[in-house]
Amino acid sequence: FFMNPHKVISLLIYSQNYIGAAYVDFRMKNHIIKQKNNLNNKINLFTTYKNLIYLPSLLFSISSMRKLAIIDTKCISRKAIKQICIALNCRGIFKNYIPGNFSNRQIKSFMLPEAAIVAEPKNDPRIIRELSNINIPIIGICNTDTNISFIDWVLPSNTNSKFSNAMIFYLIGRLLKRYYILKKSNLRGLFFHCLIDKESKKDMKKIINNYSH
């Protein structure tokens, strides 16, 4: 499959995914265009696009989509993740995370995923430590101030707004939908659940209709 880079990057710019945090972790310097003192840094969207394209190849070893866990303990992009879990039959983890969820088999909510997508890993570093100890590949949606030492694949983006998070999860869901040929799933609705400004809904429909064609 193929994604037009101009259309994808225009969607990322419209959703303000290029806006980073004021602080920059030294491991994230390769994903930044400009670094300014006391100002928000700019994320390189070409690296975000490149990492999005290679994302399905990392999930090629998964036996079924039920073995994929999408984790967001801060619940910023909860509605978007729920729509992806319904469409792709994934497992979603929000505030119901318990330490030992992936390693202690005596817990009722025990699950052993084959891969995990974590939205902003700095919110709960216990999840990253637990997944890394079990040698599960971790895909992190990270801002410029995130420690990525235990993350296998980084998707740099603005994680401080629902608008930008919804766009990232929309592109991830669309990629996985095309890759696994899930024709029955409908992912267009997940992005509109997380729109902050209702007046921009008509403009976003035009952009997504152009993107789908």
Side-chain angles (χ1 to χ4, degrees):
F1 58 88
F2 178 75
M3 293 180 69
N4 192 348
H6 298 288
K7 292 181 180 179
V8 173
I9 290 172
S10 66
L11 286 171
L12 293 174
I13 291 171
Y14 190 88
S15 58
Q16 297 181 351
N17 265 294
Y18 62 91
I19 299 174
Y23 173 73
V24 179
D25 192 86
F26 71 94
R27 300 176 186 87
M28 288 289 293
K29 286 185 178 179
N30 296 328
H31 305 287
I32 294 170
I33 295 176
K34 292 182 180 180
Q35 184 177 358
K36 297 181 179 180
N37 296 326
N38 299 324
L39 292 173
N40 290 332
N41 298 279
K42 292 184 179 180
I43 296 171
N44 190 356
L45 294 180
F46 289 101
T47 59
T48 307
Y49 170 76
K50 189 190 298 183
N51 293 353
L52 273 170
I53 291 298
Y54 287 112
L55 177 62
S57 62
L58 298 172
L59 303 175
F60 182 73
S61 60
I62 296 177
S63 58
S64 66
M65 293 301 293
R66 192 68 181 169
K67 295 289 185 178
L68 176 64
I70 305 177
I71 304 165
D72 182 18
T73 56
K74 201 175 179 181
C75 295
I76 288 181
S77 51
R78 185 173 182 176
K79 291 182 180 179
I81 292 174
K82 279 186 176 180
Q83 293 292 324
I84 287 182
C85 291
I86 292 169
L88 300 177
N89 197 16
C90 303
R91 296 287 299 273
I93 297 174
F94 306 104
K95 289 184 178 179
N96 55 350
Y97 169 74
I98 301 170
N101 233 348
F102 308 111
S103 58
N104 190 359
R105 294 181 181 272
Q106 296 180 357
I107 299 176
K108 291 183 179 179
S109 60
F110 170 77
M111 64 172 294
L112 188 61
E114 295 180 1
I117 299 175
V118 184
E120 194 52 76
K122 69 178 181 181
N123 293 333
D124 199 347
R126 297 175 298 175
I127 296 174
I128 306 300
R129 291 174 187 172
E130 189 174 351
L131 290 171
S132 60
N133 288 333
I134 314 171
N135 296 326
I136 293 173
I138 303 169
I139 300 159
I141 301 171
C142 307
N143 209 332
T144 57
D145 57 348
T146 305
N147 185 1
I148 58 172
S149 55
F150 293 103
I151 296 169
D152 300 310
W153 195 252
V154 180
L155 291 174
S157 67
N158 180 16
T159 58
N160 295 326
S161 76
K162 295 181 181 179
F163 192 67
S164 57
N165 277 327
M167 178 58 72
I168 285 289
F169 279 109
Y170 172 78
L171 294 173
I172 290 172
R174 193 164 179 83
L175 269 173
L176 296 179
K177 178 189 173 184
R178 289 189 178 184
Y179 188 75
Y180 289 99
I181 318 175
L182 299 175
K183 296 181 180 179
K184 294 182 181 180
S185 58
N186 186 11
L187 292 173
R188 285 196 178 187
L190 74 91
F191 181 72
F192 296 114
H193 283 285
C194 300
L195 284 174
I196 297 173
D197 188 8
K198 294 182 179 179
E199 294 178 358
S200 62
K201 200 167 183 177
K202 294 181 180 179
D203 297 331
M204 287 308 302
K205 280 185 178 180
K206 292 179 182 178
I207 293 173
I208 291 176
N209 286 329
N210 293 329
Y211 168 69
S212 60
H213 297 303

